[in-house]
Amino acid sequence: MDIIKIIAGLLSGIIGGMGLGGGAVLLIYLKLFENLNQIKAQGINLLFFIPIAAVAISIYAFSHLIKWKTVLKMCLSGIPGCISAVMLRGALGGEKLGKIFAIILIILGISEIIKGFLLKRSGKRDNIKKE
Amino acid sequence: MKKKNLFLLGTGFLIGVVNGLLGAGGGMLAVPVLNKSGMSKKEAHANAVAVIFPLSVISAVTYLLRGEVKINEALPFIPAGVIGAVLATLILKKISPKALKIIFGGFMLWAGVRMLIK
């Protein structure tokens, strides 16, 4: 098997298992390195995430980290959200979705970098308080 | 309490739309939502995966039914992905969220720009 595919899968699993957007990693790989169309890449990404999430959830549930009531509430409205996205997906098409995805990545990327730097500062403040 | 439920339901719908529309990104939305609903960061990350899992199953079914993807196209990535997910649960407690955010943020920014100019 292609080593780059293994690395892409491994990194996506790590980031996805943390709930940090592992989907973005595999999607980026599929789009930029395998030149797949946006909708196919999205479908592969979703299928990929299912077993990964199942493993991660089992481990988190074993550590009593999952709050099922909250999860259930979000899923109750999330499922109709997924179904309504089907029509939107068809209307927009792969090319527009690709651009939307790229813009979201840029916004999220900037926001994560800023949050990362802010975290550093608040961490320092906490240390000072503790001292 | 009612406000919190409404907040969870509203954001749940939005996360479902993003998950179905883009096939990714739901987790990144779910983490701050769960954090705001009173969970610790670690809990928010774990519960985000639990929220996204059933939504990804539903979304994936819609892609399969429309013939947009085939199951075997995802198979080559899954074994390494499962190992990665196990590693994630082990290192979630140890990894520095600051470094992770800055590195991952930089990667997303780079990829987004490349996709736009491609």
Side-chain angles (χ1 to χ4, degrees), chain A residues 1 5-35 38-40 42-57 59-60 63-68 70-71 73-90 92 97-110 112-113 115-117 119-120 123-124, chain B residues 1 4-5 8-25 27-28 30-34 37-43 45-60 62-64 66-89 91-93 95 97-98 100-118:
Chain A
M1 194 198 277
K5 272 189 182 160
I6 296 174
I7 294 169
L10 191 70
L11 276 178
S12 307
I14 293 174
I15 305 285
M18 289 178 175
L20 256 180
V25 178
L26 189 63
L27 252 176
I28 290 166
Y29 167 77
L30 292 170
K31 283 261 325 191
L32 291 180
F33 296 91
E34 295 224 349
N35 288 314
Q38 182 72 22
I39 292 181
K40 188 178 276 295
Q42 292 180 184
I44 292 175
N45 191 43
L46 283 167
L47 286 170
F48 164 83
F49 184 67
I50 294 167
I52 279 66
V55 171
I57 293 167
I59 297 169
Y60 290 139
S63 316
H64 305 289
L65 277 171
I66 309 287
K67 295 190 172 166
W68 295 106
T70 305
V71 169
K73 280 174 202 163
M74 291 182 81
C75 289
L76 271 178
S77 58
I79 291 168
C82 294
I83 295 165
S84 49
V86 177
M87 282 177 282
L88 264 174
R89 203 161 73 225
L92 286 167
L97 280 175
K99 298 282 178 218
I100 293 171
F101 181 68
I103 292 166
I104 291 174
L105 273 182
I106 293 172
I107 296 168
L108 286 176
I110 293 170
E112 285 297 294
I113 294 170
K115 275 193 231 161
F117 282 111
L119 257 180
K120 205 169 189 176
K124 272 183 186 168
Chain B
M1 188 62 195
K4 190 182 164 186
N5 283 344
L8 291 175
L9 287 169
T11 49
F13 182 80
L14 186 72
I15 291 165
V17 172
V18 171
N19 184 270
L21 193 63
L22 297 172
M28 291 196 81
V31 171
V33 167
L34 292 165
S37 79
M39 288 187 191
S40 72
K41 278 196 176 138
K42 200 168 86 181
E43 284 173 337
H45 284 283
N47 283 275
V49 184
V51 171
I52 299 306
F53 173 69
L55 301 184
S56 294
V57 172
I58 304 283
S59 293
T62 69
Y63 279 77
L64 288 169
R66 287 166 62 95
E68 289 161 337
V69 71
K70 290 181 192 120
I71 287 178
N72 61 2
E73 288 171 306
L75 291 179
F77 302 99
I78 291 175
V82 171
I83 296 168
V86 174
L87 281 176
T89 61
I91 59 175
L92 186 62
K93 297 162 192 166
I95 202 159
K98 302 157 204 166
L100 195 69
K101 275 184 185 297
I102 294 167
I103 295 167
F104 191 49
F107 172 67
M108 285 195 290
L109 183 61
W110 165 81
V113 171
R114 268 207 64 181
M115 279 181 193
L116 268 189
I117 57 174
K118 207 178 173 187

